[in-house]
Amino acid sequence: MVNKKTVLLRYIFIFLFFVFCSQIVFSEGFKQKVYWETEPNASEYKVEIIPADGGKSTYFTTSENFVSFSMPAGSYKYRVTAYDVLGHESSVSEWQSFKITKAVEPVVKTPQKVSVPQKSGENFSIPVDVQNIEEDSKVELINKATGKSVKGKLNTVKTGETVSSASVEFPKVSEGEWVVKVTNPSGLSTESSLIEVEDEAAVLAKRAAEEQAEKQRIAKEQAEKQRIEQEQKEKLEREKQLAEEKHRKEEELEAKKKQEEERIAREKEEQEKRRIEEERLAQEQKERQEQEERQRNYEEENPYKGMTKDEAEFEEEKKLAKNNFKNKKKNNALDLNILAGAGMNFNFYDGQLHHFKSEDFYPEIKLKVSWLPVKIPGWRFGAELEVDGMQVQKTDNEYYEMEMLALWPQLGVLVQKELVPSTLYLNLKADAGIFFIKTKVGYTSSVVSKSPVDGIYSYISFGGALSVFWIPAKHLVIEAGGEFRHIAINDMPTGYASPFVCIGVRF
């Protein structure tokens, strides 16, 4: 039987082993190795490696305290399980993280020419674009003619996991053709294309000569430009003078043309006046002849014997008016209208009613009967009985069921202003009525202390309406407009605005 103290010391050792467990990952012919401290009682180890962001695990079994493998670049984590001589699991380490980088060949892009400083001892910088490197990559400048090598410094920039360089620095070197060689820690290296190194003094002298030549070229171009601008200015001035002369001639021609058109217009106007005067004289002559003809006929066939001419004409007009009135009375309708339609009541103001419902409007149905017996030219007067019905509220939830129905009879005075003779009228109405509302409230079994509530309530209401009344056919009427009514409910006076459309028959 194993001593308890021995078992305790064993587990303490295993715990300290995994606390100080470390990792070593390096490149050896593009192979990686993971090391850990040896456990005295372990005869075999199983290593589980998994990508850091999750994925499929890879397992290795070994009796050594390391394992060699080859995996793609990326971030990983591993843990080690130790087994004793009997194959029993004795301990499992915590997950440890490590990273594998790619062994890639660097990419180098350099300029074709660079200048070295005039003073000795000064470093000079070469602008480059170096990719696929590490922060500890090496750089050197090699003379292609002599093979001389000069070590330099990479100015690196790290963006996330990517390291690059935009410049390298070297001590002053002689003029000639050189290449930049970059070597990664993996041993892979790349040489740039040939770079021509020039002395800065010679470059400055050449640059000064080029600048002088450029100044002369610019001065020559400016002189040529001024000459061309002057010629262009003179040309524009000549073109302006020609345009002004052309415009003056066109204005003279336009003035002459306008004078000729005015002369022709005056002649036409005089001819038209003469024609109108001749037609007027001919019409007067014709009317005199017709009047004489009527007078002769009247004298020959006068049904009103013993009357003067004026008295006979008065009697004839009375007869015609009487016949017209009889025909009109016979053909006219009684102006008794029955209409039905629908509206939408908008809650204009109130005390509480709109809180019972999530909307602020209530559809309604309408029935209207109007009679307009009194008529004067352009106006008609009468009365209208209207009955509206709507559902104010219907709620069904786990506590209660509520329904509120409204019936709204109203009697009003109606005035119609004729807009289009016998066809289109403007309706003005003032009315009063009684607003009946029936409530029904039933509580569910979860509200045991409440009894059903039913009731009918009535309130005085008054208001008015403005609408358009259209008679498209003798027995068809259409009305559309809006109305407003105030309901005198105790402690919560309520107002409704309602647009509506109705259609009906006319008797």
Side-chain angles (χ1 to χ4, degrees), residues 282-464:
Q283 182 65 24
E284 289 180 355
Q285 178 67 24
K286 180 180 178 181
E287 289 177 354
R288 284 195 298 271
Q289 292 176 354
E290 290 177 350
Q291 179 66 24
E292 292 174 356
E293 180 67 22
R294 286 195 299 273
Q295 182 65 27
R296 285 195 298 271
N297 293 335
Y298 174 77
E299 292 176 354
E300 291 175 357
E301 301 178 358
N302 184 9
Y304 303 102
K305 299 192 182 290
M307 296 183 182
T308 64
K309 179 181 177 182
D310 292 339
E311 291 175 344
E313 290 178 350
F314 178 73
E315 290 296 328
E316 184 67 22
E317 289 176 357
K318 283 175 60 178
K319 182 178 179 181
L320 290 173
K322 185 176 181 180
N323 291 335
N324 289 337
F325 178 76
K326 289 181 179 180
N327 293 332
K328 185 175 181 181
K329 186 175 180 181
K330 180 179 179 181
N331 295 327
N332 280 351
L334 297 176
D335 280 325
L336 177 64
N337 308 293
I338 301 175
L339 299 92
M344 188 68 69
N345 275 311
F346 289 89
N347 194 256
F348 206 65
Y349 59 84
D350 69 12
Q352 296 293 331
L353 281 181
H354 75 286
H355 293 303
F356 290 116
K357 201 174 183 185
S358 58
E359 301 88 354
D360 285 332
F361 56 86
Y362 310 88
E364 67 175 359
I365 57 174
K366 290 178 170 288
L367 178 64
K368 305 173 74 169
V369 179
S370 62
W371 185 40
L372 297 138
V374 180
K375 303 177 181 64
I376 61 175
W379 295 87
R380 304 195 303 179
F381 302 88
E384 182 176 85
L385 174 64
E386 179 177 346
V387 179
D388 299 339
M390 65 179 177
Q391 183 184 65
V392 179
Q393 168 66 7
K394 184 173 179 61
T395 303
D396 186 1
N397 56 42
E398 62 178 320
Y399 300 109
Y400 62 87
E401 296 180 358
M402 175 186 289
E403 185 176 26
M404 300 174 68
L405 302 174
L407 188 65
W408 207 342
Q410 301 142 94
L411 183 63
V413 177
L414 183 63
V415 179
Q416 288 188 347
K417 168 62 179 173
E418 189 176 56
L419 300 178
V420 178
S422 302
T423 302
L424 190 64
Y425 297 86
L426 180 66
N427 264 15
L428 299 171
K429 183 178 73 170
D431 57 19
I434 301 176
F435 181 75
F436 293 98
I437 185 165
K438 181 180 185 302
T439 62
K440 180 178 180 181
V441 182
Y443 294 93
T444 63
S445 59
S446 60
V447 187
V448 298
S449 61
K450 296 288 186 176
S451 300
V453 178
D454 291 333
I456 299 177
Y457 307 92
S458 61
Y459 306 97
I460 300 298
S461 69
F462 53 88

Side-chain angles (χ1 to χ4, degrees), residues 16-17 23 70 78 126 177 206 229 272-273 284 311 361 390 392 440-441:
L16 292 174
F17 156 67
Q23 67 199 35
S70 179
Y78 77 95
I126 299 178
E177 292 183 339
K206 182 179 178 182
E229 288 177 352
E272 183 66 15
K273 287 180 179 180
E284 289 180 355
E311 291 175 344
F361 56 86
M390 65 179 177
V392 179
K440 180 178 180 181
V441 182

Side-chain angles (χ1 to χ4, degrees), residues 150-200:
V150 179
K151 294 186 181 298
K153 177 186 176 183
L154 274 169
N155 297 320
T156 59
V157 176
K158 188 172 183 181
T159 305
E161 299 296 329
T162 304
V163 179
S164 61
S165 176
S167 66
V168 293
E169 293 184 3
F170 294 100
K172 183 176 179 180
V173 296
S174 60
E175 291 185 324
E177 292 183 339
W178 300 73
V179 294
V180 174
K181 182 178 179 180
V182 179
T183 304
N184 279 342
S186 64
L188 298 178
S189 64
T190 300
E191 288 187 0
S192 71
S193 58
L194 287 176
I195 304 173
E196 183 180 348
V197 178
E198 300 177 328
D199 185 80
E200 189 175 21

Side-chain angles (χ1 to χ4, degrees), residues 95-221:
W95 285 103
Q96 304 292 325
S97 299
F98 66 93
K99 181 180 178 182
I100 300 175
T101 59
K102 290 184 179 179
V104 294
E105 182 178 337
V107 178
V108 183
K109 296 181 181 179
T110 60
Q112 294 181 350
K113 291 183 180 181
V114 294
S115 299
V116 295
Q118 299 181 39
K119 296 180 181 180
S120 61
E122 291 186 358
N123 287 350
F124 73 101
S125 177
I126 299 178
V128 296
D129 180 9
V130 186
Q131 305 292 332
N132 298 341
I133 58 173
E134 300 295 329
E135 290 183 328
D136 53 353
S137 296
K138 307 298 181 183
V139 63
E140 57 184 327
L141 192 63
I142 302 173
N143 190 298
K144 296 300 289 185
T146 64
K148 179 181 178 181
S149 175
V150 179
K151 294 186 181 298
K153 177 186 176 183
L154 274 169
N155 297 320
T156 59
V157 176
K158 188 172 183 181
T159 305
E161 299 296 329
T162 304
V163 179
S164 61
S165 176
S167 66
V168 293
E169 293 184 3
F170 294 100
K172 183 176 179 180
V173 296
S174 60
E175 291 185 324
E177 292 183 339
W178 300 73
V179 294
V180 174
K181 182 178 179 180
V182 179
T183 304
N184 279 342
S186 64
L188 298 178
S189 64
T190 300
E191 288 187 0
S192 71
S193 58
L194 287 176
I195 304 173
E196 183 180 348
V197 178
E198 300 177 328
D199 185 80
E200 189 175 21
V203 173
L204 293 176
K206 182 179 178 182
R207 187 179 300 165
E210 291 176 350
E211 289 177 354
Q212 181 63 27
E214 180 66 14
K215 289 180 180 179
Q216 293 176 356
R217 184 189 65 79
I218 292 174
K220 185 177 179 181
E221 287 183 353

Side-chain angles (χ1 to χ4, degrees), residues 61-92:
T61 302
T62 180
S63 60
E64 305 292 338
N65 68 326
F66 68 88
V67 65
S68 179
F69 56 89
S70 179
M71 286 187 174
S75 297
Y76 296 85
K77 57 183 180 178
Y78 77 95
R79 66 181 176 183
V80 180
T81 305
Y83 295 89
D84 57 22
V85 294
L86 299 177
H88 296 151
E89 181 182 303
S90 61
S91 62
V92 180

